[in-house]
Amino acid sequence: MSARKRRPERLLTHRMARWVDTRLGSAKLARTALNKVFPDHWSFMIGELGLYCFIVLVLTGVYLTFFFEPSSNQVVYDGSYEPLRGVQMTQAYHSALELSFDVRAGLVMRQIHHWAALLFLAAIAVHLIRVFFTGAFRRPREINWIIGCTLLILALVNGLFGYSLLDDQLSGTGLRIVYSVALSIPLIGTWLTSLLFGGEFPGPDIIERLYVLHILIVPAIIAVLLSAHLGILVRQKHTHFPGPGRREDNVVGERMWPTYAAKALGLFFLTSAVLAFLGGVFQINPIWIYGPFDPAQVSAASQPDWYMGWLDGALRIMPGWEFRAGGFEVPNPFFPGVLLAGLTFTLLYVWPFLEARVTGDYAEHHVLDRPRQRPVRTALGAATIAFFVVAFIGGGADVMASTFGLSVNAILWTFRFLILLAPPAVGWLTYRLCKELSARDGVPTASRVRVRDIPGRLRRGPGAADTAPAPESAPGG
Amino acid sequence: MSDDRPSHEAPRATTGDAVLTRSGTRVELASAACFVVAIVAAIALAVVYWEGGQPQAEGVLLALALGGIGVGIVLWAKHFMPDDEVSEDRHPMASTDEEVAAFTADFQAGESSLTSRRTLVATAGGACAALGVALVFPLRSLGPRPGRGLKQTPYQGGGIRVVREDGSPVRPDDLEPGGFITVWPEGHTDAADAPTLLIRYQPDQDFEPVAGREDWTVENVVAYSKLCTHVGCPVGLYQSDSGLLLCPCHQSTFDVLQGAEPVFGPAARSLPQLPLAVDDSGYLIATGDFSDPVGPGFWDRGR
């Protein structure tokens, strides 16, 4: 030990680093990386959580590809799950059953993969909410906002593709709904569905095509965009919450090496541990209970994975309207399916530009807002969340009806009103709350709030107190 | 060594002091214990796998192995690594005017030599555009032209028996009053667009046929497409007393006694009806295709 310490050049790692450096000159760059400063706040870990879920998804997903056979060929089941023996099914469903019952460690890998997908989307959604309410999307971070929105859509789509691959009754029903929503798009819907499914539903090629999309194309795009997302984060440096010594022209936090790196690595292991526990102990997507897909069958309580729940709920809540003229029509699913999703993501994409335009604030911002400082933005965000929560819960209308013995019609009527009334009500309440809270804080100017209320835990390093909080550029609007 | 790292405000905090204290020793022990737990769990995981595998045990042991490493590292980082807060300068993202001007000058120097050959610019642009268009064509191979397929089912032409999933034909009397079964056109029990509901309404129920379809039923047996006109789920729940059909997917409700018109939910169109008759052997046949294209709507459905 002590001998090694005296002569570090004998260490293998040291010699390898030297070898690389003499060819790339990497030491200077690597040192900059070691000393990179990352602000510390619990809410900054949420996006990181999503990254770790993605890594777990890739690792478990690769394992699954060794056993899953994406094929619509018909076979007869003869595996170890008694109730389905002798049942005709596609090769895809058959191999998913084998993976679950006859491949050692197959089921736990499949369930970890599914739980990781659920948590991946949750992390992305909460990270988006954090970024929105703290104004972290403002200049100069609009590009990363756009990349983030794209990542959200890709993650949603790939989750849907993933659980649609297995060709069980539930996923087949989901695919049928996806097909019908795509079919409802005026002018191109019929062509689009025919090209995607290889013909009319169920289509001879859909499983094979979803497989290529799910395991190659979409994850590759996610990996590229994720790298860009992180690269831009490093280039622009992280935002920080207001606090003593934290200004627009600095970034206060921990050095990457060693503390932050160790904490990040620890968080990766902890995330994986939680996913492994969930995958081992909590059953998810028990496809053997649903049975193979039969287009003439469906069971009640057909709910999608949580992140598609808002769309399913919107489909239910929408009244039975459609437009018809001269033999042409805009079918009903177009409005809650295509139009709602299109509007949602368009608004998300343009929000930073919209807000800058309305407030006239085009300045660079690196110090985050507290939500109460921006009552209008916070209220609009809360109202939007209320809309999607109502839609999401509405997706369980049939389950609520059977659980509580209520009329499903009454429940859906309630949700039709709620989806219109809840957003303005929540928005107004949030607005009032923001005003109250900032009034309690005193004059809601940026600098005042920063001194009085230090969000999160602030550890003052020696010397940090020497720097007085500098006057901030006044928040626009 | 002087500390020239990006830090105005904080010299590196001295660490390692905690190790010498009693609590430091405890933390170090706890952290080491976590790693030992991870080692034991990893070995146990391998043993469980070797012995035949058990999903719950695999998940818990994997969680212990990963979690042990995770907690161990976090304890280590929190107690024995520097937690000094430092400040790094941030500079405006934009390049300076001089940098932009220098770039612009270099770029324009190259650009002018490119654009001076107008013929080349135009033809090269045209070539790339033509290639781009040509490369779109293979997409056409992905699927057939959507045509009559969406508007037809195997019932087309009529004179086809309706059969159960096992291929057996159906007599009207096979259905109890108030009963219903799912049938297909004979020889097409795997056709996804053809599942049909045969419903025998109760004698005391007031069935009102749609105008022009008065002879489409046989002995109180009426046939509708099973595919919901909303997004095509099979409409599988029938309340025979009220004559209401409910789609379990999105709760669209259809009135069987009124031409299966939608009475609640997102569906906007009636379920297409199938004209029924009996053949010489007394089995139910379809005399033609459904009254409308089945399943979900599309933009030129009515053309």
Side-chain angles (χ1 to χ4, degrees):
Chain A
M1 182 75 188
S2 55
R4 276 190 194 168
K5 261 192 175 165
R6 274 200 299 275
R7 302 169 77 173
E9 68 276 8
R10 292 184 71 91
L11 271 173
L12 181 65
T13 48
H14 180 93
R15 293 213 308 273
M16 276 169 65
R18 256 333 259 172
W19 189 91
V20 173
D21 182 66
T22 48
R23 280 148 188 88
L24 298 176
S26 45
K28 188 165 175 283
L29 194 73
R31 181 168 183 247
T32 312
L34 291 185
N35 290 309
K36 184 142 190 67
V37 170
F38 285 93
D40 197 15
H41 189 264
W42 64 266
S43 69
F44 299 162
M45 295 194 321
I46 300 163
E48 220 180 310
L49 220 68
L51 171 68
Y52 301 146
C53 286
F54 181 68
I55 295 171
V56 172
L57 279 169
V58 171
L59 293 176
T60 50
V62 167
Y63 189 79
L64 298 182
T65 60
F66 297 145
F67 305 98
F68 180 70
E69 294 164 37
S71 162
S72 4
N73 290 340
Q74 293 287 324
V75 291
V76 174
Y77 184 69
D78 57 352
S80 56
Y81 184 64
E82 288 277 356
L84 286 176
R85 272 203 200 142
V87 174
Q88 195 176 331
M89 55 184 63
T90 57
Q91 189 109 41
Y93 184 65
H94 188 277
S95 66
L97 288 177
E98 278 203 326
L99 180 56
S100 304
F101 291 110
D102 301 301
V103 174
R104 236 183 259 185
L107 181 62
V108 77
M109 288 286 192
R110 223 198 91 215
Q111 296 200 137
I112 294 174
H113 192 71
H114 202 120
W115 275 114
L118 297 179
L119 201 72
F120 183 44
L121 267 300
I124 294 175
V126 179
H127 176 60
L128 169 77
I129 288 169
R130 195 282 290 174
V131 167
F132 178 85
F133 284 112
T134 58
F137 53 81
R138 292 171 298 173
R139 186 178 170 188
R141 294 185 176 75
E142 303 97 321
I143 302 172
N144 241 7
W145 171 265
I146 289 171
I147 293 175
C149 293
T150 314
L151 281 169
L152 168 65
I153 296 175
L154 290 170
L156 277 172
V157 165
N158 219 33
L160 170 72
F161 287 171
Y163 73 74
S164 296
L165 279 176
L166 305 185
D167 205 37
D168 57 282
Q169 186 63 56
L170 185 63
S171 77
T173 305
L175 262 189
R176 144 115 37 205
I177 296 168
V178 169
Y179 172 87
S180 302
V181 170
L183 188 69
S184 74
I185 303 173
L187 297 175
I188 60 164
T190 48
W191 268 108
L192 184 73
T193 49
S194 183
L195 295 183
L196 182 64
F197 284 70
E200 245 182 282
F201 185 83
D205 305 321
I206 187 64
I207 293 176
E208 292 84 342
R209 287 180 187 170
L210 286 184
Y211 186 66
V212 172
L213 288 167
H214 178 73
I215 71 153
L216 176 67
I217 297 174
V218 182
I221 304 173
I222 289 178
V224 168
L225 289 183
L226 205 52
S227 310
H229 204 62
L230 295 173
I232 291 173
L233 173 124
V234 168
R235 169 92 181 102
Q236 295 181 331
K237 301 192 172 88
H238 208 288
T239 53
H240 49 194
F241 273 105
R246 299 174 183 204
R247 306 184 309 269
E248 291 289 357
D249 64 352
N250 72 351
V251 51
V252 176
E254 272 171 351
R255 285 197 186 89
M256 202 275 279
W257 183 256
T259 317
Y260 186 84
K263 282 184 184 168
L265 190 68
L267 184 61
F268 167 69
F269 277 103
L270 289 175
T271 311
S272 314
V274 169
L275 291 174
F277 183 75
L278 290 170
V281 176
F282 291 96
Q283 186 181 70
I284 188 83
N285 199 23
I287 49 162
W288 51 91
I289 293 174
Y290 309 144
F293 178 55
D294 173 353
Q297 298 297 325
V298 70
S299 59
S302 289
Q303 266 75 25
D305 273 3
W306 78 267
Y307 44 86
M308 300 300 290
W310 57 285
L311 274 172
D312 193 51
L315 281 173
R316 292 169 199 245
I317 292 169
M318 179 75 191
W321 300 330
E322 54 189 33
F323 290 110
R324 277 177 229 134
F328 295 106
E329 71 183 25
V330 184
N332 179 287
F334 177 76
F335 305 102
V338 184
L339 201 63
L340 175 64
L343 263 178
T344 302
F345 291 117
T346 307
L347 267 177
L348 260 185
Y349 274 113
V350 302
W351 179 264
F353 310 100
L354 205 66
E355 188 189 285
R357 181 147 210 179
V358 171
T359 59
D361 178 6
Y362 293 98
E364 271 196 23
H365 292 280
H366 301 289
V367 177
L368 293 172
D369 288 329
R370 301 186 68 203
R372 66 182 68 171
Q373 290 172 281
R374 299 300 187 118
V376 175
R377 180 207 290 148
T378 305
L380 285 173
T384 309
I385 292 175
F387 179 89
F388 287 106
V389 167
V390 171
F392 175 82
I393 301 174
D398 54 336
V399 178
M400 277 182 269
S402 61
T403 308
F404 302 112
L406 298 167
S407 141
V408 75
N409 296 22
I411 291 179
L412 279 175
W413 269 112
T414 310
F415 276 95
R416 283 174 182 176
F417 283 109
L418 268 180
I419 205 158
L420 296 177
L421 299 179
V426 169
W428 181 79
L429 264 174
T430 310
Y431 183 82
R432 292 304 319 155
L433 196 68
C434 289
K435 286 288 191 190
E436 287 286 324
L437 286 172
S438 46
R440 198 175 299 173
D441 288 340
V443 188
T445 60
S447 56
R448 181 77 191 271
V449 172
R450 269 161 211 173
V451 175
R452 285 197 48 162
D453 278 292
I454 301 157
R457 204 155 41 103
L458 181 80
R459 286 184 310 257
R460 289 172 156 203
D466 299 344
T467 314
E472 307 296 338
S473 62
Chain B
M1 186 176 87
S2 71
D3 194 345
D4 61 340
R5 289 176 303 179
S7 148
H8 300 300
E9 291 150 16
R12 194 86 157 182
T14 51
T15 53
D17 298 350
V19 182
L20 302 175
T21 67
R22 186 180 293 271
S23 74
T25 316
R26 268 212 305 275
V27 172
E28 187 172 11
L29 274 175
S31 181
C34 288
F35 291 125
V36 172
V37 166
I39 295 170
V40 174
I43 294 169
L45 179 63
V47 171
V48 166
Y49 178 88
W50 190 256
E51 293 295 319
Q54 207 281 338
Q56 283 84 3
E58 286 162 1
V60 170
L61 289 169
L62 186 58
L64 277 176
L66 291 163
I69 297 176
V71 175
I73 291 179
V74 170
L75 283 178
W76 187 357
K78 284 210 170 223
H79 293 272
F80 305 116
M81 291 186 195
D83 66 344
D84 51 335
E85 196 158 66
V86 295
S87 167
E88 188 179 2
D89 277 346
R90 212 192 268 279
H91 305 285
M93 295 312 300
S95 309
T96 61
D97 289 347
E98 294 79 44
E99 286 165 342
V100 173
F103 166 82
T104 311
D106 287 359
F107 184 80
Q108 281 171 349
E111 190 187 26
S112 60
S113 72
L114 285 174
T115 50
S116 59
R117 303 278 168 192
R118 285 181 174 272
T119 323
L120 290 183
V121 171
T123 49
C128 291
L131 179 64
V133 171
L135 290 181
V136 172
F137 275 77
L139 283 180
R140 176 65 184 78
S141 307
L142 290 175
R145 165 185 284 273
R148 302 296 308 164
L150 290 167
K151 300 175 184 172
Q152 287 175 355
T153 71
Y155 287 116
Q156 175 81 7
I160 298 170
R161 274 185 183 165
V162 298
V163 297
R164 299 183 183 87
E165 194 162 19
D166 59 8
S168 60
V170 186
R171 293 178 199 273
D173 288 341
D174 292 348
L175 283 104
E176 298 288 317
F180 78 107
I181 57 170
T182 305
V183 293
W184 284 263
E186 188 164 29
H188 297 279
T189 50
D190 56 349
D193 59 352
T196 311
L197 280 172
L198 280 187
I199 299 169
R200 186 162 197 185
Y201 53 88
Q202 296 167 12
D204 57 337
Q205 281 177 323
D206 189 14
F207 181 80
E208 289 180 29
V210 176
R213 302 185 198 161
E214 288 81 3
D215 56 348
W216 283 25
T217 56
V218 176
E219 295 178 39
N220 295 356
V221 176
V222 58
Y224 294 110
S225 165
K226 197 180 182 182
L227 301 183
C228 185
T229 55
H230 177 224
V231 288
C233 289
V235 183
L237 304 173
Y238 181 54
Q239 300 171 320
S240 70
D241 289 339
S242 57
L244 292 180
L245 264 173
L246 182 76
C247 178
C249 279
H250 302 102
Q251 288 77 47
S252 292
T253 311
F254 303 90
D255 188 346
V256 167
L257 305 174
Q258 303 278 341
E261 67 174 22
V263 291
F264 185 76
R269 280 172 288 114
S270 304
L271 295 173
Q273 190 178 348
L274 189 73
L276 288 179
V278 284
D279 63 9
D280 299 339
S281 319
Y283 291 113
L284 284 166
I285 59 165
T287 60
D289 209 340
F290 287 103
S291 55
D292 293 288
V294 297
F298 48 97
W299 67 282
D300 59 346
R301 191 182 55 88
R303 299 292 289 186

